[in-house]
Amino acid sequence: MFKIRKIIFSVFIASVLGFQGCAPLMLHDKGPDVVPGFDAITEGIVQGKTKLSQVRERLGAPTFIARTTQNKQLFAAYVFTNGVDMDTKPNWINTVGTIGFVLYPQVVKVLLLKLNKKGVITGVDMWGVTYNRGYAFTALGEGGWGEKERPLTAEELKQPIDYDPMTIILSYNKYLANKLNVPIYKVPSSMEDKKFPLCSYRCHAELGAEIKLGKFEMVDENPQAEAGDRKVQLIDSEAFRASQAKD
């Protein structure tokens, strides 16, 4: 079904860009399809009882461990995603052509675990974002950017997510319309076409932590694997499913 949608959308975009004289656009669905929901990710975590060491047995080392600057709250962050990171350059991109750009659908969920001094989890929160990652390749060079970027809703955080580029585009336009309280067709094109600075999964994890918990300072910006840890750090749905299959 995704391939059918992708073909239809590619034909539509190609027709539009053909009139505008722009470079060709391709859509790419690299990466596992589904990012798990909140309940699946936090399964087995009991606030006031479960320790971070127990979570590490299931999810591996955190993306980072930090402490808020205002109330000194210690916390650990985990990233779940369905896409490819900003530093992952597709091997086939040089064989496609000399001019054009590709869109990768991105969904990022950030699990935030508040900890006490004994490493016991005292609070659980989550933040997320979805966007299309653009990657351009031209005779003059290559570059990347983000577009159609918006925060995930509370319902999206709860549910497994499987988005393609077209879904992300349409949901972003609806998000803007709701934010401005206007019909979708009245959303300014300058807002619809806004480009965002490219942000890696780590970047989004840090942004999400600051949004949910406030400013913080790093305690361990790159936690190393410990004995008993799952051997995964950047958690995608494929690794997550494999992890659960072993239990």
Side-chain angles (χ1 to χ4, degrees), residues 14-33:
S15 65
V16 173
L17 295 180
F19 286 113
Q20 295 179 340
C22 296
L25 166 70
M26 286 165 294
L27 306 181
H28 191 61
D29 60 345
K30 182 176 177 62
D33 291 331

Side-chain angles (χ1 to χ4, degrees), residues 46-59:
V46 179
Q47 296 183 43
K49 183 177 179 179
T50 305
K51 292 185 176 181
L52 178 61
S53 59
Q54 294 172 292
V55 175
R56 293 177 67 137
E57 291 176 0
R58 181 168 173 262
L59 300 181

Side-chain angles (χ1 to χ4, degrees), residues 161-191:
I161 293 182
D162 176 10
Y163 287 163
D164 57 36
M166 186 60 174
T167 300
I168 291 174
I169 290 171
L170 295 176
S171 65
Y172 176 74
N173 292 344
K174 184 177 179 181
Y175 163 76
L176 290 179
N178 291 338
K179 188 175 181 179
L180 297 174
N181 195 27
V182 298
I184 290 179
Y185 68 87
K186 287 191 176 181
V187 174
S189 59
S190 59
M191 295 183 68

